[in-house]
Short mmCIF file of all heavy atoms in Angstrom, two decimals:
data_model
loop_
_atom_site.label_atom_id
_atom_site.label_comp_id
_atom_site.label_asym_id
_atom_site.label_seq_id
_atom_site.Cartn_x
_atom_site.Cartn_y
_atom_site.Cartn_z
N ARG A 117 7.56 21.60 2.33
CA ARG A 117 8.75 22.05 1.62
C ARG A 117 9.41 20.86 0.93
O ARG A 117 10.01 20.97 -0.10
CB ARG A 117 9.75 22.65 2.61
CG ARG A 117 9.47 24.10 2.86
CD ARG A 117 10.61 24.72 3.59
NE ARG A 117 10.46 24.51 5.02
CZ ARG A 117 11.22 25.08 5.93
NH1 ARG A 117 12.19 25.87 5.57
NH2 ARG A 117 11.02 24.86 7.20
N ASP A 118 9.35 19.69 1.58
CA ASP A 118 10.00 18.50 1.06
C ASP A 118 9.05 17.32 1.22
O ASP A 118 9.28 16.45 2.03
CB ASP A 118 11.29 18.24 1.84
CG ASP A 118 12.21 19.43 1.81
OD1 ASP A 118 12.89 19.63 0.80
OD2 ASP A 118 12.22 20.17 2.81
N PRO A 119 7.96 17.30 0.46
CA PRO A 119 7.03 16.20 0.63
C PRO A 119 7.72 14.87 0.35
O PRO A 119 8.59 14.80 -0.51
CB PRO A 119 5.92 16.48 -0.38
CG PRO A 119 6.47 17.49 -1.30
CD PRO A 119 7.56 18.22 -0.59
N PHE A 120 7.33 13.86 1.05
CA PHE A 120 8.01 12.57 0.93
C PHE A 120 6.98 11.46 0.89
O PHE A 120 6.06 11.42 1.69
CB PHE A 120 8.94 12.37 2.12
CG PHE A 120 9.62 11.03 2.10
CD1 PHE A 120 10.74 10.84 1.30
CD2 PHE A 120 9.15 9.98 2.86
CE1 PHE A 120 11.36 9.61 1.26
CE2 PHE A 120 9.77 8.74 2.82
CZ PHE A 120 10.88 8.56 2.02
N LEU A 138 17.93 7.30 0.32
CA LEU A 138 16.82 8.04 -0.28
C LEU A 138 17.43 9.27 -0.95
O LEU A 138 18.05 10.11 -0.29
CB LEU A 138 15.82 8.46 0.79
CG LEU A 138 15.26 7.32 1.67
CD1 LEU A 138 14.49 7.89 2.87
CD2 LEU A 138 14.36 6.40 0.85
N LYS A 139 17.28 9.35 -2.27
CA LYS A 139 17.95 10.41 -3.03
C LYS A 139 17.17 11.72 -2.99
O LYS A 139 15.94 11.72 -3.08
CB LYS A 139 18.11 9.98 -4.50
CG LYS A 139 19.08 8.84 -4.74
CD LYS A 139 20.52 9.19 -4.43
CE LYS A 139 21.12 10.21 -5.36
NZ LYS A 139 22.50 10.58 -4.93
N SER A 140 17.88 12.82 -2.89
CA SER A 140 17.33 14.17 -3.06
C SER A 140 16.06 14.40 -2.24
O SER A 140 15.05 14.86 -2.78
CB SER A 140 17.00 14.43 -4.54
OG SER A 140 18.10 14.17 -5.34
N VAL A 141 16.11 14.09 -0.98
CA VAL A 141 14.91 14.25 -0.15
C VAL A 141 14.76 15.70 0.32
O VAL A 141 13.66 16.23 0.38
CB VAL A 141 14.97 13.31 1.08
CG1 VAL A 141 13.71 13.44 1.91
CG2 VAL A 141 15.17 11.87 0.65
N PHE A 142 15.88 16.32 0.64
CA PHE A 142 15.81 17.68 1.17
C PHE A 142 16.50 18.66 0.22
O PHE A 142 17.57 18.35 -0.31
CB PHE A 142 16.44 17.74 2.57
CG PHE A 142 15.63 16.99 3.59
CD1 PHE A 142 15.96 15.70 3.96
CD2 PHE A 142 14.48 17.56 4.13
CE1 PHE A 142 15.19 15.00 4.87
CE2 PHE A 142 13.70 16.87 5.04
CZ PHE A 142 14.05 15.57 5.41
N GLY A 143 15.87 19.80 0.06
CA GLY A 143 16.34 20.77 -0.92
C GLY A 143 17.31 21.78 -0.34
O GLY A 143 17.66 21.77 0.85
N GLU A 144 17.70 22.68 -1.22
CA GLU A 144 18.77 23.63 -0.92
C GLU A 144 18.54 24.50 0.33
O GLU A 144 19.48 24.66 1.13
CB GLU A 144 19.01 24.51 -2.16
CG GLU A 144 20.28 25.33 -2.10
CD GLU A 144 21.51 24.53 -1.68
OE1 GLU A 144 21.79 23.46 -2.27
OE2 GLU A 144 22.19 24.98 -0.75
N PRO A 145 17.33 25.01 0.58
CA PRO A 145 17.22 25.86 1.78
C PRO A 145 17.63 25.13 3.06
O PRO A 145 18.32 25.71 3.91
CB PRO A 145 15.73 26.22 1.82
CG PRO A 145 15.24 26.01 0.43
CD PRO A 145 16.08 24.93 -0.17
N TRP A 146 17.23 23.87 3.16
CA TRP A 146 17.64 23.11 4.35
C TRP A 146 19.15 22.96 4.43
O TRP A 146 19.75 23.11 5.52
CB TRP A 146 17.03 21.69 4.31
CG TRP A 146 15.60 21.58 4.70
CD1 TRP A 146 14.58 21.11 3.92
CD2 TRP A 146 15.01 21.92 5.96
NE1 TRP A 146 13.40 21.14 4.63
CE2 TRP A 146 13.65 21.63 5.88
CE3 TRP A 146 15.52 22.44 7.15
CZ2 TRP A 146 12.76 21.84 6.94
CZ3 TRP A 146 14.65 22.66 8.21
CH2 TRP A 146 13.29 22.37 8.10
N ILE A 147 19.75 22.62 3.30
CA ILE A 147 21.20 22.33 3.31
C ILE A 147 21.98 23.57 3.72
O ILE A 147 22.89 23.51 4.56
CB ILE A 147 21.66 21.84 1.91
CG1 ILE A 147 20.85 20.61 1.49
CG2 ILE A 147 23.15 21.53 1.89
CD1 ILE A 147 20.86 19.46 2.47
N LEU A 150 21.38 24.23 7.46
CA LEU A 150 21.95 23.21 8.36
C LEU A 150 23.48 23.18 8.32
O LEU A 150 24.12 22.81 9.30
CB LEU A 150 21.36 21.83 8.04
CG LEU A 150 19.86 21.70 8.39
CD1 LEU A 150 19.27 20.39 7.85
CD2 LEU A 150 19.63 21.78 9.91
N PHE A 180 14.05 21.37 11.55
CA PHE A 180 14.25 20.13 10.80
C PHE A 180 13.76 18.92 11.61
O PHE A 180 13.03 18.07 11.10
CB PHE A 180 15.74 19.95 10.45
CG PHE A 180 16.00 18.76 9.58
CD1 PHE A 180 15.88 18.84 8.20
CD2 PHE A 180 16.35 17.53 10.13
CE1 PHE A 180 16.09 17.73 7.38
CE2 PHE A 180 16.56 16.41 9.33
CZ PHE A 180 16.44 16.52 7.96
N ASN A 183 9.63 19.71 12.32
CA ASN A 183 8.64 20.15 11.33
C ASN A 183 9.00 19.88 9.88
O ASN A 183 8.29 20.33 8.99
CB ASN A 183 8.38 21.65 11.49
CG ASN A 183 7.70 21.97 12.81
OD1 ASN A 183 6.92 21.16 13.30
ND2 ASN A 183 8.04 23.10 13.39
N SER A 184 10.08 19.20 9.62
CA SER A 184 10.40 18.85 8.23
C SER A 184 9.74 17.52 7.88
O SER A 184 8.94 16.99 8.66
CB SER A 184 11.92 18.72 8.05
OG SER A 184 12.37 17.52 8.64
N SER A 185 10.12 16.95 6.77
CA SER A 185 9.63 15.60 6.42
C SER A 185 10.33 14.50 7.21
O SER A 185 9.95 13.33 7.09
CB SER A 185 9.85 15.33 4.94
OG SER A 185 9.19 16.29 4.17
N ALA A 186 11.36 14.86 7.98
CA ALA A 186 12.13 13.80 8.67
C ALA A 186 11.25 12.96 9.61
O ALA A 186 11.35 11.72 9.58
CB ALA A 186 13.31 14.42 9.42
N PRO A 187 10.38 13.56 10.45
CA PRO A 187 9.52 12.70 11.29
C PRO A 187 8.61 11.79 10.47
O PRO A 187 8.34 10.66 10.88
CB PRO A 187 8.69 13.71 12.10
CG PRO A 187 9.48 14.97 12.09
CD PRO A 187 10.20 14.98 10.77
N ILE A 189 9.31 10.51 7.50
CA ILE A 189 10.16 9.41 7.01
C ILE A 189 10.31 8.36 8.10
O ILE A 189 10.17 7.15 7.87
CB ILE A 189 11.55 9.95 6.57
CG1 ILE A 189 11.40 10.87 5.37
CG2 ILE A 189 12.51 8.81 6.29
CD1 ILE A 189 12.67 11.62 5.00
N VAL A 235 17.70 9.31 10.72
CA VAL A 235 17.61 9.98 9.41
C VAL A 235 18.92 10.75 9.27
O VAL A 235 19.15 11.73 9.98
CB VAL A 235 16.39 10.93 9.37
CG1 VAL A 235 16.38 11.75 8.09
CG2 VAL A 235 15.10 10.12 9.51
N TRP A 236 19.82 10.26 8.42
CA TRP A 236 21.19 10.81 8.30
C TRP A 236 21.29 11.57 6.98
O TRP A 236 21.29 10.97 5.90
CB TRP A 236 22.18 9.66 8.35
CG TRP A 236 23.58 9.99 8.77
CD1 TRP A 236 24.13 9.76 10.00
CD2 TRP A 236 24.65 10.55 7.96
NE1 TRP A 236 25.46 10.16 10.01
CE2 TRP A 236 25.80 10.64 8.77
CE3 TRP A 236 24.73 10.99 6.63
CZ2 TRP A 236 27.01 11.14 8.31
CZ3 TRP A 236 25.95 11.50 6.17
CH2 TRP A 236 27.06 11.58 7.01
N LEU A 237 21.36 12.87 7.10
CA LEU A 237 21.30 13.76 5.94
C LEU A 237 22.71 14.22 5.56
O LEU A 237 23.45 14.73 6.41
CB LEU A 237 20.44 14.98 6.31
CG LEU A 237 20.44 16.17 5.36
CD1 LEU A 237 19.76 15.80 4.03
CD2 LEU A 237 19.72 17.36 6.01
N ALA A 238 23.06 14.03 4.29
CA ALA A 238 24.36 14.52 3.81
C ALA A 238 24.29 16.03 3.60
O ALA A 238 23.38 16.53 2.94
CB ALA A 238 24.73 13.83 2.50
N GLU A 305 24.97 12.84 -2.18
CA GLU A 305 25.00 14.25 -2.54
C GLU A 305 24.24 15.02 -1.45
O GLU A 305 23.39 14.44 -0.76
CB GLU A 305 24.32 14.48 -3.90
CG GLU A 305 25.10 13.92 -5.08
CD GLU A 305 26.52 14.49 -5.18
OE1 GLU A 305 26.71 15.68 -4.85
OE2 GLU A 305 27.42 13.73 -5.56
N PRO A 306 24.52 16.31 -1.31
CA PRO A 306 23.77 17.09 -0.31
C PRO A 306 22.27 16.94 -0.54
O PRO A 306 21.80 17.03 -1.68
CB PRO A 306 24.23 18.53 -0.57
CG PRO A 306 25.55 18.40 -1.25
CD PRO A 306 25.52 17.12 -2.03
N GLY A 307 21.55 16.67 0.53
CA GLY A 307 20.10 16.48 0.41
C GLY A 307 19.69 15.01 0.39
O GLY A 307 18.53 14.68 0.61
N ASP A 308 20.65 14.12 0.09
CA ASP A 308 20.36 12.68 0.17
C ASP A 308 20.30 12.27 1.64
O ASP A 308 21.00 12.85 2.49
CB ASP A 308 21.46 11.84 -0.50
CG ASP A 308 21.54 12.04 -2.01
OD1 ASP A 308 20.64 12.68 -2.58
OD2 ASP A 308 22.53 11.55 -2.60
N VAL A 309 19.52 11.23 1.89
CA VAL A 309 19.35 10.72 3.25
C VAL A 309 19.66 9.23 3.25
O VAL A 309 19.27 8.52 2.32
CB VAL A 309 17.89 10.95 3.72
CG1 VAL A 309 17.51 10.00 4.85
CG2 VAL A 309 17.67 12.40 4.13
#
Side-chain angles (χ1 to χ4, degrees):
R117 274 192 275 188
D118 304 281
F120 177 81
L138 305 169
K139 292 294 293 175
S140 307
V141 182
F142 292 98
E144 192 48 52
W146 281 120
I147 303 306
L150 291 171
F180 185 85
N183 293 327
S184 74
S185 302
I189 294 171
V235 174
W236 203 102
L237 169 67
E305 291 302 325
D308 293 350
V309 158

